[in-house]
């Protein structure tokens, strides 16, 4: 009988069958235990936070508040977290019309009213003031100097002007920051384009960055310094399982609470293999992450730890919204080789929005061959010099077995970038992953 799997794909799942004669490793994280009463857990966390005073105490005497949420690309359960925060702020004396909910879009497009209702709830959108951060509008940001690495700090003025600053988010493996959440709500979430020139610059991305990497990660260090300069008063981050159920709540000081959250999440999502795989079958994590090829590349970078040099990554992603932003598309269509791209990226004065995700794609291609399976993206939309296409995962597996043989080692990562797969615990820097031949 064939082996059956379900990959996270769009809003549902993609069933996959592969021969049972293969040597298969499944990177299926243990996840955490779902919290039975999420509202009570959230309330308890903000009443007894990590290394800071309760949110109600911090809010007393403040005349305004800004609450930051992630944009539509992250499956954050805002419908659970926001009501608990907002009730606390109002009960502590901050008027509803003095509370602003700021969407940390980073350099992504603004979220529409319909998307905001889906991300939070129709009731919240009808009764509270929401605002999308716009990185491209320099006039909406204030300069706070530079980090030790020289990154210019330009942050959303509305957030800086709020007397109480609260950030929320989801903690999961992240291709640059090691783990998402915490300081990422501030930068890149609320940063201007000028900040990203360095923070998302080509040299930064070739440094010690990658999923699960925190120690010695210069991007993480840069973000921590920016968050400290801004002065965040309170953080409420969560973790979720594959069914998007709440598994952890981490509230309090943005440094201490986020550190506790990252440690807990690594235990929930990390799976160690004994050996690297010839073929990795993975997803882009399903909706909302796999709506564009730009975001789906995270599924590829999440596989770099467990694919061998010269191996193949088969990525299944719905890609219902196409390739991504125009800047990303324009640069992607001009790339012939990784070397060609790096010459351009490192040239003095060169900078293009979204260049970092093209660079990450090329980092993957240094180590492995890529085959994309998508029912929505036209075959001609991607240059075959970069990524091959297949009509199904099964067809891609049949093709790759001609290259590696029927005894190939195949790793399956159903959750894509939401899992942290390693070989014997090693977390590889994306820019140097190609050097690892294991």
């Amino acid at each position: 009988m064939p082996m059956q799997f379900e990959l996270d794909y769009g809003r549902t799942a993609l069933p996959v069958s592969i021969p049972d004669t293969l040597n298969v490793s499944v990177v299926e994280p243990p996840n955490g235990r779902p919290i039975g009463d999420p509202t009570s857990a959230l309330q308890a966390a903000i009443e007894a936070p990590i290394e800071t005073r309760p949110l109600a105490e911090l809010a007393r005497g403040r005349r305004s508040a800004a609450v930051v949420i992630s944009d539509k690309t992250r499956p954050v359960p805002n419908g659970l977290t926001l009501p608990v925060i907002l009730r606390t702020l109002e009960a502590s004396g901050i008027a509803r019309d003095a509370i602003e909910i700021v969407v940390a879009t980073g350099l992504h497009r603004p979220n529409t009213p319909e998307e905001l209702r889906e991300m939070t709830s129709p009731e919240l959108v009808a009764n509270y003031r929401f605002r999308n951060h716009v990185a491209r509008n320099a006039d909406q940001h204030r300069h706070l100097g530079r980090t030790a690495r020289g990154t210019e700090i330009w942050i959303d003025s509305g957030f800086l002007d709020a007397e109480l600053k609260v950030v929320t988010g989801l903690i999961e493996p992240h291709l640059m920051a090691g783990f998402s959440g915490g300081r990422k709500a501030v930068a890149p979430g609320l940063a201007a384009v000028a900040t990203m020139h360095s923070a998302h610059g080509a040299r930064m991305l070739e440094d010690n960055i990658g999923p699960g990497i925190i120690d010695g990660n210069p991007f993480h260090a840069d973000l921590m310094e920016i968050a400290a300069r801004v002065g965040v008063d309170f953080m409420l981050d969560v973790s979720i399982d594959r069914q998007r159920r709440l598994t952890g709540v981490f509230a309090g000081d943005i440094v201490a609470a986020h550190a506790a959250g990252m440690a807990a999440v690594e235990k929930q999502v990390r799976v160690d293999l004994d050996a690297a795989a010839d073929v990795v079958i993975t997803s882009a994590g399903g909706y909302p992450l796999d709506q564009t090829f730009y975001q789906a590349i995270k599924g590829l970078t999440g596989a770099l730890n467990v694919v061998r040099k010269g191996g193949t990554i088969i990525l299944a992603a719905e890609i219902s919204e196409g390739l991504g932003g125009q800047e990303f598309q324009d640069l992607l269509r001009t790339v012939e080789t990784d070397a060609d791209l790096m010459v351009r990226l490192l040239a003095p004065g060169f900078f293009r929005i979204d260049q970092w995700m093209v660079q990450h794609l090329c980092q993957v291609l240094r180590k492995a061959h890529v085959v994309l399976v998508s029912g929505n993206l036209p075959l001609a939309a991607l240059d075959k010099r970069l990524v091959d296409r297949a009509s199904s995962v099964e067809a891609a597996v049949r093709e790759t077995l001609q290259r590696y043989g029927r005894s190939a080692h195949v790793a399956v990562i159903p959750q894509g970038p939401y899992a942290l797969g390693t070989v014997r615990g090693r977390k590889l820097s994306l820019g140097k992953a190609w050097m690892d031949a294991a």
Side-chain angles (χ1 to χ4, degrees), residues 50-51 72 123 127 161 223 225 245 330 343 351 399:
I50 298 171
E51 293 192 19
K72 63 168 288 190
E123 294 75 21
N127 290 287
D161 289 339
L223 301 192
E225 188 174 348
R245 298 172 297 187
D330 291 343
V343 167
F351 181 81
E399 175 69 23

Side-chain angles (χ1 to χ4, degrees), residues 212-278:
I213 297 175
I214 293 297
D215 293 340
N217 181 332
F219 183 65
H220 167 70
D222 234 19
L223 301 192
M224 292 295 287
E225 188 174 348
I226 293 171
R229 193 81 57 90
V230 167
V232 174
D233 296 296
F234 198 86
M235 184 202 85
L236 176 63
D237 276 3
V238 299
S239 61
I240 57 176
D241 64 10
R242 192 177 181 188
Q243 288 73 44
R244 310 290 168 87
R245 298 172 297 187
L246 207 67
T247 59
V249 182
F250 313 97
D253 173 74
I254 192 170
V255 176
H258 190 242
M262 290 189 293
V265 167
E266 178 156 344
K267 292 179 181 178
Q268 294 179 19
V269 303
R270 181 171 149 184
V271 177
D272 297 334
L273 302 183
D274 290 330
D278 301 297

Side-chain angles (χ1 to χ4, degrees), residues 17 22 48 63 85 89 160 170 309 353 369 397 403 412 417 437:
S17 299
L22 295 171
R63 293 169 297 179
I85 293 171
L89 299 184
L160 294 176
L170 175 69
K309 187 175 181 180
I353 289 175
H369 179 68
V397 170
R403 184 180 303 125
V412 181

